[in-house]
Amino acid sequence: MAQKTLLKGRVLSFSGSPFEGEPTEAATLHEALVIEDGRIAALGSASDLSRAHPEATVKDYGNHLIMSGFVDPHVHYPQTAMIASWGKRLIDWLNSYTFPEEMKFGDPDYASEVANRYLDLTTAHGTTTMCSFCTIHPESVDAFFTAAQARGQRVVAGKTCMDRNAPEGLRDTAQTAYDQSQALLEKWHGVDRLSYAITPRFSPTSTPEQLEAMGALWGEYPHCLMQTHLCEQTDEIEWVRSLFPNARDYLDTYEQFGLLRKNGLYGHVIHLEPRERDRLREVEAALIHCPTSNTFIGSGLFDMDGLMREGHRVGLATDTGGGSSFSMLRTMAAAYEIGQLRGTPLHPAQLLWLGTVGSARTLHMDDRIGNVALGMEADLVALDLASTPAIAQREAHADDLWEAVFPTIMMGDDRAVADVWIGGRQAHS
Ligand code: GUN
Ligand code: ZN
């Protein structure tokens, strides 16, 4: 008989979107869940589940909040070692810090060391799935998928393609980008819990020929995700305008080459023209909000409220290492602060939903991950809502769950992550 595990605690499940109607009504609390064969097999009261599953191994988390592991749909794992690099805006930041570090990933040993370090750090912070840019080097993709596969993680990744405006050693061509991406896709996509994302870095580092080749590849594998950057900084947008004088706008530099579809993920999307907003919504593309990055690199304030009202598909991401943290809690806090600066604070239920269900929706994986529900893969985090003296003294007089969880969102870090389960296995304690 399969091994069963019964987890007890305050189990948070979303039955709907907290952006539609009263935020708190989208959430339900249970007392326990049962894991069997890596999936959630039962949810309910602790006494009912204990009676129904007497053979299960029991893990009692007391007052901890058990919820889906965090889903981070825009990261650059190769930027782990240069996170928190000082004083530059986007283009200078790429040239000064990012490209020199990414140059090292042709070395498979270095790539493997950083991939494992990155996954250790993110697991400790409660993130169970991420969608990562790799580097130009196929070795960097192999290293990441190999590390994630060994840990049983559901991850998405792709070779970052660039054939101009990048240093020698970090450039491929339209043809080699196509060939190497296709070979990696064929090798890894659908293996265990791994998925491939076609990954042109952003329009300034690809020639029209390379964008066309990426669009053609996506056309051949339309079930794959495609990830890139869009409208992050105003000077970047000016640069795109000068590089693509015939494009209607930044989005058009993707759209005209077949790089705008429902399963495309567009990172940052801060400074959007009305046409761009309309087209992204029409195709139901995914918009990825990277709040710690957008403040750290000085990019701007994402319009969460307006975009949500228009019905966009939105996820929340760290953008490590443009983002200044590996923590999705810290990322939720930054999203809250940006909402405040725009006059629209986000409810804690909305923040937790964005970092789980919302982000899983951007990856088109919300039928498998991002929520605690029957049949979902058992990627879970147990959060201690009193993990430091500062948080505990605020949580101690909270009137309800949302007041209890908000101090952990605003002030929590890896100390709040009491435990992590990946694919039904305990991954961290
Ligand atoms: N635009 C193109 N490449 C990058 C990157 O690595 N990080 C961020 N934040 N923006 C980008
Ligand atoms: Zn990015």
Side-chain angles (χ1 to χ4, degrees):
M1 192 187 293
Q3 170 74 39
K4 286 186 192 174
T5 312
L6 174 67
L7 305 188
K8 294 187 195 172
R10 288 191 279 178
V11 179
L12 177 69
S13 176
F14 285 104
S15 51
S17 167
F19 286 91
E20 291 161 15
E22 179 55 40
T24 57
E25 283 175 11
T28 310
L29 274 187
H30 305 276
E31 291 174 359
L33 63 87
V34 173
I35 301 173
E36 187 175 1
D37 287 334
R39 289 178 187 272
I40 296 166
L43 265 175
S45 82
S47 56
D48 285 355
L49 294 191
S50 299
R51 217 173 302 118
H53 304 274
E55 75 284 23
T57 307
V58 179
K59 179 90 193 160
D60 190 345
Y61 288 110
N63 262 339
H64 289 1
L65 187 70
I66 302 173
M67 58 177 290
S68 163
F70 301 126
V71 178
D72 188 347
H74 184 119
V75 314
H76 299 254
Y77 96 80
Q79 296 172 14
T80 296
M82 47 68 71
I83 193 168
S85 292
W86 185 84
K88 307 281 186 194
R89 289 172 60 82
L90 179 60
I91 306 306
D92 287 343
W93 174 85
L94 285 171
N95 287 316
S96 306
Y97 300 123
T98 312
F99 291 158
E101 177 61 21
E102 291 192 7
M103 205 84 86
K104 301 178 187 168
F105 284 72
D107 173 357
D109 291 337
Y110 186 71
S112 170
E113 182 195 326
V114 177
N116 280 291
R117 192 192 315 158
Y118 170 80
L119 290 174
D120 286 346
L121 285 164
T122 48
T123 300
H125 285 88
T127 301
T128 47
T129 287
M130 67 286 297
C131 180
S132 186
F133 288 71
C134 299
T135 68
I136 198 91
H137 313 96
E139 294 86 347
S140 73
V141 182
D142 287 335
F144 188 68
F145 279 137
T146 301
Q149 186 180 36
R151 294 156 190 254
Q153 278 188 259
R154 184 167 289 291
V155 303
V156 188
K159 168 191 142 76
T160 296
C161 299
M162 302 194 272
D163 67 345
R164 65 166 162 176
N165 294 319
E168 178 70 38
L170 272 192
R171 290 194 305 266
D172 49 18
T173 66
Q175 190 64 47
T176 57
Y178 179 96
D179 292 344
Q180 292 175 345
S181 299
Q182 185 181 38
L184 289 162
L185 190 162
E186 289 282 350
K187 179 173 178 183
W188 292 109
H189 188 69
V191 175
D192 295 338
R193 302 182 76 197
L194 314 175
S195 305
Y196 192 82
I198 295 164
T199 308
R201 182 177 214 117
F202 67 154
S203 299
T205 47
S206 288
T207 58
E209 293 70 34
Q210 182 167 76
L211 293 172
E212 193 173 359
M214 295 287 98
L217 183 63
W218 201 13
E220 286 170 53
Y221 298 90
H223 52 287
C224 280
L225 298 172
M226 189 284 303
Q227 59 179 343
T228 191
H229 298 86
L230 176 65
C231 295
E232 182 175 0
Q233 287 205 343
T234 48
D235 19 5
E236 170 210 17
I237 295 169
E238 284 306 311
W239 193 25
V240 169
R241 219 187 297 277
S242 70
L243 290 168
F244 297 86
N246 297 324
R248 287 171 288 182
D249 45 41
Y250 194 159
L251 181 63
D252 199 31
T253 65
Y254 298 127
E255 189 173 358
Q256 65 183 256
F257 297 114
L259 290 169
L260 176 62
R261 290 166 184 266
K262 182 171 181 170
N263 46 357
L265 283 80
Y266 303 84
H268 303 280
V269 283
I270 301 167
H271 311 282
L272 292 171
E273 300 289 341
R275 191 200 80 86
E276 296 176 302
R277 292 172 81 113
D278 290 347
R279 283 297 292 144
L280 288 162
R281 198 195 53 244
E282 272 165 27
V283 306
E284 300 173 54
L287 311 185
I288 313 297
H289 179 27
C290 308
T292 72
S293 172
N294 297 342
T295 51
F296 182 77
I297 310 185
S299 302
L301 307 180
F302 181 84
D303 181 15
M304 179 68 78
D305 185 60
L307 291 163
M308 277 301 194
R309 282 175 196 280
E310 287 170 20
H312 285 273
R313 182 191 296 270
V314 178
L316 181 68
T318 59
D319 189 30
T320 304
S324 53
S325 176
F326 296 96
S327 167
M328 286 295 285
L329 292 172
R330 173 76 199 100
T331 303
M332 291 173 204
Y336 176 79
E337 289 162 349
I338 288 175
Q340 281 287 55
L341 288 170
R342 295 193 65 112
T344 50
L346 290 161
H347 189 276
Q350 295 174 325
L351 294 166
L352 293 178
W353 183 90
L354 278 169
T356 54
V357 183
S359 289
R361 281 185 73 235
T362 66
L363 301 174
H364 299 271
M365 292 178 174
D366 49 313
D367 57 339
R368 281 165 282 173
I369 58 164
N371 204 356
V372 179
L374 290 185
M376 301 285 277
E377 295 170 359
D379 292 342
L380 301 164
V381 59
L383 291 180
D384 176 358
L385 301 187
S387 62
T388 69
I391 295 172
Q393 58 88 38
R394 177 62 187 90
E395 190 265 352
H397 61 95
D399 284 336
D400 61 21
L401 171 72
W402 305 111
E403 221 179 295
V405 81
F406 191 56
T408 288
I409 291 176
M410 292 310 300
M411 300 193 285
D413 53 28
D414 50 339
R415 289 170 289 180
V417 176
D419 214 348
V420 179
W421 292 73
I422 293 179
R425 290 218 195 116
Q426 206 170 356
H428 168 78
S429 216

